Amino acid sequence: MEVSYRDEGVASAAASVAGRLVADGVPARLAGGDPTLWGEDAEAVAAVSLGWLRLPHASRELLPELGELAGRARDQGVTNVVLAGMGGSSLAAEVICATADVPLTVLDTTDPGQVRRALAEPLESTVVVVAGERGSTVETDCHLRIYERLFAESGVAPRIVVVTEPGSLLADRATEGGHHLVHAQPGAEGGYAALSAYALVPAALAGADVARLLDDAAEVLPLLSRDTGNPGLDLGAAIGGAALAGRDKLLLEDQLSAIAGLPDWIEALVGESTGKQGRGILPVVGADPNRAKDELVVAIESDVGDVRVDGPLGAQFLIWEYATALAGLLLETDPFGRPDVAEADSAAALQEPSVGAPALVDGPVEVYGSVTAKDLPGVFAELLYAIPAGGYLAVMAYLDRMAAFDAPVPDGADFEQMTDAWMMADPATLRALLALRTDRPVTFGWGPRLRHATGQYHEGGPQNGVFLQITGAVSDDVEVPGRPFTLGGLQFAQALGDLRALESRGRPAVRLHLTDRAAGVARLLAAAQEV
């Protein structure tokens, strides 16, 4: 595992803060799980949140059970693994499986269309992993209820594995439902749970080599107490020192890496850990550098950045967790608390929220918010102009992130032509189009998964963000058994709840509602090109 500096300014800032950290004995104290590092107010939370440091060894206790589970699933003809879970641990599972090139369906959404895609897979060959620390996460509760009913109505013997902490509400649900229960080690949540049962159980069932993952993490673990030759200290000093020097936009680059999708997990980890008390580091995925003075480019296994990080996936997980905890210390923020993001409240879906009349309508797109523009290109221009110096634009789409693959493709199209067709039906393409028209960072996130990741930064970080939310009409909703709301109703309530949270903090936000989703996305992308 190696972290190397390719920018003199970064190297100088990192050396300065690393010297202070070493003088205070921080590397060894953090590696030893000292909860007093982040101050008296954070000590209680830190005391129960540093369990991730033990996972390279503690999670090995799971390997026999995981081997038995995976073997049984293969014997039963399981080819479809569905993970119902939210937050960084689910993103970690997605990275593990994508890197190992094994299929995994991650349900971290309340979008009815995306959930229906998963439900359409043959139940006879499906195992569902329901993962959550306590069982209070509304999305995961909905997914469990929907799959329990689906298995019951189909006559197929339910194949559900529940991963949770001992004594949790979800553990009780597993016992009541007769589901296989795997206990997770307490003390590792969100992005810090990448090497925990929450990520390892679905990855092992999908066919990934999780023992190798733990081996690679265990190999680097002894380095984390060192004052020199410590890749976690090197990385934490780089990103934290750069942020203190004003380079608080962390651009993540991985185009040449064999590790697939790691920046998405890093984005969640850094965003939820540092964005508090008006401070933080904004992670940016998929963006080309503008060489702005507030940018720091960190590259995974390539020389295109200011910092290069090399190493296998298991070690990467551990090093980034350690480095992010250090960055929080340098910024004087508690990396483990989530003060600005509460769990989504299912009661919000009991009644249709009042949204009022749109400010304007441009074809299949309704615009809500304080805008003076007369059309959609004008709205985009207003938002870009509103980004303050040192600020950013965040695009947040409460839509089906798989819907672009439904786009019609010309007969006989090659892969490049298919990719072009998908891109022009993908809301995520809006990020790149708007980024071409500003020198400020533009981020993109899917709701509601973003509320368990960068949502903390959006609400608790610096007051320099401009927000563009996208919602869409639901044509084929999904009922939630035992709940007085549908998935579509919940998704809409979550979107409006997040919007209200931003507005209550004085953060400018506009919502675009697609009355026809496919036509609406096409209009968004066309309008962005007209700016």
Side-chain angles (χ1 to χ4, degrees):
M1 188 77 206
E2 183 179 3
V3 176
S4 53
Y5 306 147
R6 305 184 59 79
D7 177 274
E8 290 184 6
V10 172
S12 176
S16 175
V17 298
R20 296 191 343 243
L21 293 171
V22 168
D24 291 338
V26 169
R29 290 172 63 193
L30 176 53
D34 182 353
T36 66
L37 280 170
W38 298 273
E40 184 177 346
D41 291 342
E43 183 176 348
V45 173
V48 297
S49 299
L50 288 163
W52 53 272
L53 288 159
R54 300 187 296 271
L55 292 178
H57 296 306
S59 288
R60 297 196 68 85
E61 299 174 6
L62 291 168
L63 293 180
E65 183 177 6
L66 295 185
E68 182 180 337
L69 272 175
R72 187 186 312 152
R74 286 194 300 271
D75 292 343
Q76 294 174 346
V78 169
T79 57
N80 179 45
V81 181
V82 177
L83 169 59
M86 301 297 297
S89 59
S90 295
L91 287 167
E94 197 167 58
V95 174
I96 294 167
C97 291
T99 301
D101 195 23
V102 295
L104 175 70
T105 298
V106 177
L107 278 187
D108 53 0
T109 182
T110 46
D111 186 85
Q114 194 170 331
V115 171
R116 282 192 180 279
R117 292 171 193 279
L119 299 178
E121 294 295 323
L123 277 182
E124 296 82 358
S125 56
T126 294
V127 60
V128 180
V129 180
V130 179
E133 290 88 5
R134 286 166 290 277
S136 57
T137 305
V138 65
E139 299 94 339
T140 305
D141 173 72
C142 290
H143 299 150
L144 176 55
R145 289 171 178 273
I146 290 167
Y147 267 103
E148 285 179 330
R149 172 178 283 185
L150 188 63
F151 275 114
E153 292 180 345
S154 69
V156 175
R159 195 180 289 112
I160 297 175
V161 178
V162 173
V163 185
T164 189
E165 291 185 1
S168 71
L169 291 173
L170 193 53
D172 293 340
R173 289 279 303 281
T175 301
E176 293 168 4
H179 309 313
H180 187 99
L181 176 61
V182 178
H183 283 134
Q185 285 276 347
E189 299 182 2
Y192 293 92
L195 296 171
S196 73
Y198 301 115
L200 299 185
V201 170
L205 283 168
D209 185 352
V210 297
R212 174 65 183 273
L213 199 75
L214 295 174
D215 289 344
D216 290 335
E219 187 173 340
V220 79
L221 183 61
L223 304 179
L224 300 184
S225 60
R226 296 184 182 180
D227 294 340
T228 59
N230 179 341
L233 174 62
D234 293 340
L235 181 58
I239 62 177
L244 290 175
R247 300 175 69 170
D248 60 352
K249 309 301 186 298
L250 176 63
L251 274 63
L252 298 161
E253 213 292 326
D254 73 333
Q255 292 185 36
L256 300 179
S257 175
I259 300 174
L262 186 61
D264 290 330
W265 172 79
I266 297 172
E267 178 186 39
L269 173 70
V270 173
E272 71 177 359
S273 297
T274 69
K276 295 148 196 177
Q277 299 171 306
R279 298 188 289 275
I281 298 170
L282 175 69
V284 185
V285 176
D288 293 326
N290 288 311
R291 296 303 170 190
K293 62 181 181 180
D294 59 347
E295 290 180 356
L296 175 73
V297 182
V298 176
I300 311 298
E301 299 181 338
S302 81
D303 290 331
V304 301
D306 304 309
V307 179
R308 173 172 176 152
V309 184
D310 290 276
L313 180 55
Q316 291 270 5
F317 280 146
L318 187 61
I319 292 308
W320 277 100
E321 289 167 346
Y322 183 100
T324 302
L326 277 187
L329 176 62
L330 291 168
L331 293 176
E332 299 182 358
T333 62
D334 169 15
F336 309 116
R338 308 288 181 267
D340 294 286
V341 177
E343 292 286 357
D345 183 6
S346 61
L350 293 177
Q351 50 187 312
E352 188 71 18
S354 175
V355 297
L360 69 96
V361 177
D362 188 326
V365 182
E366 297 175 343
V367 180
Y368 294 86
S370 299
V371 297
T372 60
K374 303 304 181 185
D375 57 16
L376 198 50
V379 171
F380 290 148
E382 279 189 23
L383 288 169
L384 294 171
Y385 182 78
I387 303 173
Y392 67 100
L393 172 65
V395 182
M396 308 169 296
Y398 281 74
L399 300 169
D400 178 356
R401 67 183 175 114
M402 306 303 292
F405 296 111
D406 294 336
V409 175
D411 291 338
D414 58 24
F415 182 73
E416 183 176 351
Q417 291 170 318
M418 288 190 293
T419 301
D420 288 343
W422 294 331
M423 284 184 61
M424 293 316 297
D426 190 349
T429 303
L430 184 62
R431 190 212 65 79
L433 293 175
L434 294 178
L436 290 172
R437 289 151 176 83
T438 178
D439 60 358
R440 302 310 308 147
V442 180
T443 67
F444 183 92
W446 297 101
R449 70 189 284 180
L450 65 86
R451 72 176 290 119
H452 298 268
T454 50
Q456 173 60 48
Y457 182 93
H458 292 163
E459 296 175 19
Q463 188 84 349
N464 60 5
V466 175
F467 300 90
L468 174 61
Q469 187 185 83
I470 308 171
T471 57
V474 173
S475 58
D476 194 7
D477 214 337
V478 175
E479 292 184 0
V480 181
R483 294 296 189 216
F485 53 82
T486 63
L487 281 185
L490 174 59
Q491 181 188 41
F492 191 55
Q494 288 177 311
L496 293 189
D498 287 349
L499 198 65
R500 285 193 296 268
L502 293 168
E503 292 171 341
S504 70
R505 290 162 172 80
R507 310 202 170 192
V510 169
R511 181 172 69 91
L512 307 180
H513 185 70
L514 313 183
T515 54
D516 179 298
R517 291 196 179 199
V521 170
R523 179 58 190 139
L524 293 182
L525 302 187
Q529 296 176 75
E530 297 172 24
V531 177

